[in-house]
Amino acid sequence: MANASSKDRGSASGFERQAAFTLVELLVVIAIIGVLIGLLLPAVQAARESARRISCNNNLKQLGLAAHGHHDSNQTLPPGGEWRHDVPWAANIPSPNPEKGGVLVRLLPYIEENAVYSGIDFDSNTNVFQQSVGGKQVGQVVVSGFKCASDTHAGVVPGSSTAFSNYGANYGPTGSGGSGNPNCSCSLTYDTLRPKTGFGETNPAGPFTRRGNKFTCTFTDISDGLSSTILFGEVRVDCSAHGRSGWARSNNGQGLFNTLYPLNFDSCQVDAAAAGGDGCGARCNWKTEFGFKSRHPGAVGFVMADGSVRVISESADPSALQLLGCRADGLPTKEL
């Protein structure tokens, strides 16, 4: 019995003396874990951005399909922008001349947003964006299909309740903004990139114009081919004063966003003074604010008139991009 007790005590004593981590070893383990996390984090972030880009591309795809649905039902694409009569600054416009929204409003029933669309009275003297649907104004309704997952905002313009869109209807290489906003001047012009002249607001180079009362596009008008013509591209609410007015407005950049300006051109400054007076880098100018841009590193997503989605590098050949932006230049496309 004595021997057994001694053996038992030895076993118990051995258990008590089992080795443990020293402080130095613990610090080494923590350091290794930190290094592994540092190595894995970029991969995790890249995977998340890839998922966001896929989601954003899917939104573009749905917009392309919605445009086809509208064309099938109405034998035309929606107007880029629409008022009861025409843009309010045109000559001899009768009053009242309420805003009726534009392309995104007209696509609502084709992206399963019938609850919003059915509550709109297009014959009302009240602007569409100010009409009430489900207890809030139409212009305050966040439509998930209009928001890219890579955008850092929660569907509304920062500091307001205005819901926005990350997708802009293509005006094409129609013109680069003339003299621009006199309060936010920008001297840049890219008109030399236009593959064909003669286009304007009532006959745009792309499928859409904000002068939707004067022109709506049919697929027959896209003589260069549906697979070779951009319908919609990504835009950023931070970088366009027109875009910040919201998806339900009539003069919100839809039918003004175009291919002439370099992809992802930085027009995201709040005002011209922030760049020493150069309005080209500010969202208040009427030129570079209408370039297509995204938060995806180095690229911008587009949906073509045939419904296919393309991701185009921001370093793509500008002249090749114009050919995709124009619906009727009669020229063969170039590889991007």
Side-chain angles (χ1 to χ4, degrees):
M1 293 295 292
N3 289 338
S5 298
S6 176
K7 183 177 180 180
D8 291 342
R9 286 195 301 272
S11 299
S13 178
F15 179 81
E16 293 171 354
R17 290 195 300 270
Q18 280 186 335
F21 282 115
T22 66
L23 179 60
V24 172
E25 290 171 331
L26 184 59
L27 292 174
V28 169
V29 170
I30 293 173
I32 292 172
I33 292 173
V35 170
L36 291 174
I37 291 175
L39 293 172
L40 289 173
L41 189 58
V44 172
Q45 291 174 334
R48 287 177 175 172
E49 170 54 24
S50 177
R52 289 191 290 263
R53 180 175 292 182
I54 290 171
S55 173
C56 196
N57 288 347
N58 182 62
N59 287 346
L60 284 166
K61 180 71 173 180
Q62 295 308 312
L63 286 176
L65 294 175
H68 273 258
H70 186 282
H71 194 281
D72 290 345
S73 299
N74 301 278
Q75 289 71 58
T76 182
L77 291 171
E82 186 180 14
W83 288 258
R84 175 171 295 172
H85 302 292
D86 193 8
V87 292
W89 54 89
N92 303 316
I93 297 299
S95 180
N97 185 32
E99 294 186 26
K100 299 175 71 174
V103 54
L104 298 179
V105 170
R106 293 296 181 173
L107 289 183
L108 288 173
Y110 302 96
I111 57 170
E112 300 183 355
E113 292 291 344
N114 287 292
V116 180
Y117 188 79
S118 62
I120 296 173
D121 180 2
F122 289 99
D123 295 321
S124 171
N125 288 332
T126 301
N127 296 316
V128 161
F129 73 93
Q130 292 176 319
Q131 294 183 26
S132 180
V133 174
K136 63 169 55 177
Q137 290 186 0
V138 171
Q140 297 175 348
V141 176
V142 175
V143 178
S144 59
F146 294 161
K147 182 184 179 302
C148 177
S150 292
D151 194 289
T152 56
H153 305 305
V156 296
V157 176
S160 78
S161 57
T162 301
F164 64 82
S165 172
N166 285 124
Y167 308 104
N170 175 36
Y171 187 41
T174 304
S176 61
S179 58
N181 184 347
N183 299 315
C184 192
S185 62
C186 172
S187 60
L188 286 178
T189 178
Y190 291 88
D191 281 340
T192 56
L193 291 173
R194 297 166 70 183
K196 183 179 179 180
T197 59
F199 293 111
E201 274 198 325
T202 58
N203 179 36
F208 299 98
T209 172
R210 68 177 170 183
R211 298 290 296 276
N213 296 81
K214 298 296 185 180
F215 174 88
T216 55
C217 184
T218 69
F219 285 152
T220 303
D221 295 322
I222 306 177
S223 58
D224 285 352
L226 302 188
S227 63
S228 302
T229 305
I230 291 169
L231 276 187
F232 294 92
E234 293 183 85
V235 296
R236 288 182 56 187
V237 66
D238 286 330
C239 311
S240 170
H242 280 73
R244 290 171 66 84
S245 67
W247 66 263
R249 296 296 297 265
S250 295
N251 189 23
N252 58 2
Q254 303 296 325
L256 284 176
F257 293 112
N258 66 79
T259 52
L260 282 171
Y261 296 102
L263 299 182
N264 283 337
F265 187 101
D266 186 358
S267 63
C268 308
Q269 297 173 57
V270 174
D271 54 53
D278 179 8
C280 298
R283 66 192 183 203
C284 53
N285 78 83
W286 295 341
K287 293 187 176 185
T288 59
E289 67 155 318
F290 295 124
F292 290 108
K293 50 197 66 132
S294 78
R295 285 190 174 275
H296 310 307
V300 179
F302 296 90
V303 62
M304 313 303 288
D306 67 346
S308 63
V309 173
R310 296 188 64 171
V311 176
I312 300 177
S313 170
E314 64 185 26
S315 61
D317 178 2
S319 63
L321 182 62
Q322 308 319 311
L323 296 175
L324 294 181
C326 192
R327 61 183 170 83
D329 54 56
L331 300 173
T333 57
K334 300 178 182 179
E335 288 296 324
L336 282 172

